[in-house]
Amino acid sequence: MNAEALRVLAVDDEPPALDELAFLLGRDERVGEVQTCGSATEALRLLQGEAYDVVLLDIAMPGLSGLDLAQVLRQFRQPPAVVFVTAHAHHAVEAFDLRAVDYLLKPVHEERLREAIGRVRDEGVVGDPDEQVPVELGGVTRFVRRSDVRYASAQGDYVRLHTPTGNPLVRMPLSALEQRWSDAGFVRIHRSILVSLAHVEEVRLSGARPVVVVGGTELPVSRRHVPDVRGVLRRTRDGEV
């Protein structure tokens, strides 16, 4: 077996779904050992004695739910990556809060499962996650990578994420996203705009109309945020952030 192959634990209380998941995982050359169990309680016992790279979790299970188990795993010194596999789309935001790598809807398609494994294996999600934001696109829950977000703009109860491939909406306040991503190089430049410093191409803070340029788009910097933006840029230049 490839020494770098992933060790996977799949958890589901429905045997047919669990068998199908194990079968599909076995067809992925990036996956080594696959272990299965039928409850979150049993999974927790296994996880306390064994190290896994990724746990695929159903959500609705008797007793301890998949969300409950994921919350416990966050306390582990070296937690495995978590991918939720569920029939319910409405838990996607909770999955985001729990730092899930991906969120798959049943019935699971092989291509979609391979995409999730790719995020764990090829993008270095384990140990240093490029956080994923769950969005609804055409009735399907997908995840947008934080590193792809150039800036975010508030639209009522939603935030629009501006990326090179599209601008999906996610239901959450901009303030929550700001708090969550401030350590990842995102800064508020306006009451309704949060930008990624990694994508800023130009900054013009002097004059009557302060702006930053992101992806060729001029974004206004409000007067009250100019000192904050200057401070962040100075710390970035000096290597403090």
Side-chain angles (χ1 to χ4, degrees):
M1 183 179 69
N2 185 344
E4 297 182 357
L6 295 174
R7 294 195 74 217
V8 180
L9 177 62
V11 188
D12 198 313
D13 64 318
E14 299 178 353
L18 192 58
D19 291 345
E20 176 67 10
L21 193 56
F23 170 74
L24 294 177
L25 287 167
R27 289 168 55 90
D28 193 320
E29 67 281 356
R30 297 164 297 181
V31 173
E33 180 182 349
V34 178
Q35 192 160 353
T36 64
C37 63
S39 73
T41 302
E42 181 185 354
L44 183 56
R45 285 197 295 267
L46 290 171
L47 286 157
Q48 288 173 332
E50 298 284 342
Y52 296 91
D53 297 303
V54 56
V55 179
L56 278 73
L57 271 177
D58 187 18
I59 288 182
M61 292 183 285
L64 197 68
S65 74
L67 293 171
D68 293 333
L69 178 56
Q71 184 68 53
V72 173
L73 293 181
R74 290 187 62 186
Q75 310 306 316
F76 278 35
R77 185 174 180 179
Q78 292 184 310
V82 171
V83 173
F84 285 108
V85 183
T86 177
H88 307 288
H90 59 273
H91 291 296
V93 172
E94 292 170 274
F96 170 62
D97 290 337
L98 291 168
R99 306 295 203 276
V101 171
D102 212 334
Y103 190 94
L104 309 184
L105 292 178
K106 296 179 179 178
V108 177
H109 299 288
E110 184 171 8
E111 179 181 349
R112 193 63 185 87
L113 180 60
R114 289 185 64 87
E115 181 180 331
I117 293 299
R119 284 178 172 161
V120 174
R121 175 66 187 276
D122 300 330
E123 297 175 11
V125 174
V126 176
D128 184 22
D130 179 7
E131 193 165 299
Q132 316 288 315
V133 184
V135 299
E136 294 292 328
L137 296 172
V140 177
T141 300
R142 303 300 296 268
F143 277 63
V144 173
R145 292 182 300 178
R146 181 182 60 200
S147 61
D148 287 338
V149 178
R150 291 172 170 170
Y151 67 98
S153 57
Q155 295 195 354
D157 294 332
Y158 290 81
V159 172
R160 186 173 295 282
L161 304 177
H162 299 261
T163 79
T165 57
N167 306 315
L169 286 169
V170 58
R171 189 179 180 87
M172 69 168 55
L174 188 65
S175 58
L177 203 61
E178 177 186 16
Q179 182 177 9
R180 190 175 193 114
W181 286 359
S182 61
D183 290 340
F186 281 76
V187 60
R188 182 82 76 102
I189 65 168
H190 188 277
R191 63 182 177 82
S192 61
I193 303 173
L194 184 69
V195 303
S196 168
L197 292 176
H199 292 287
V200 171
E201 299 162 355
E202 186 179 346
V203 180
R204 300 197 297 270
L205 298 181
S206 301
R209 186 171 172 266
V211 299
V212 299
V213 180
V214 178
T217 300
E218 289 192 356
L219 301 173
V221 180
S222 66
R223 287 295 179 187
R224 67 182 295 264
H225 284 97
V226 166
D228 294 336
V229 174
R230 278 204 176 104
V232 170
L233 291 172
R234 186 180 304 113
R235 292 194 300 275
T236 302
R237 181 194 62 202
D238 295 339
E240 296 177 23
V241 296

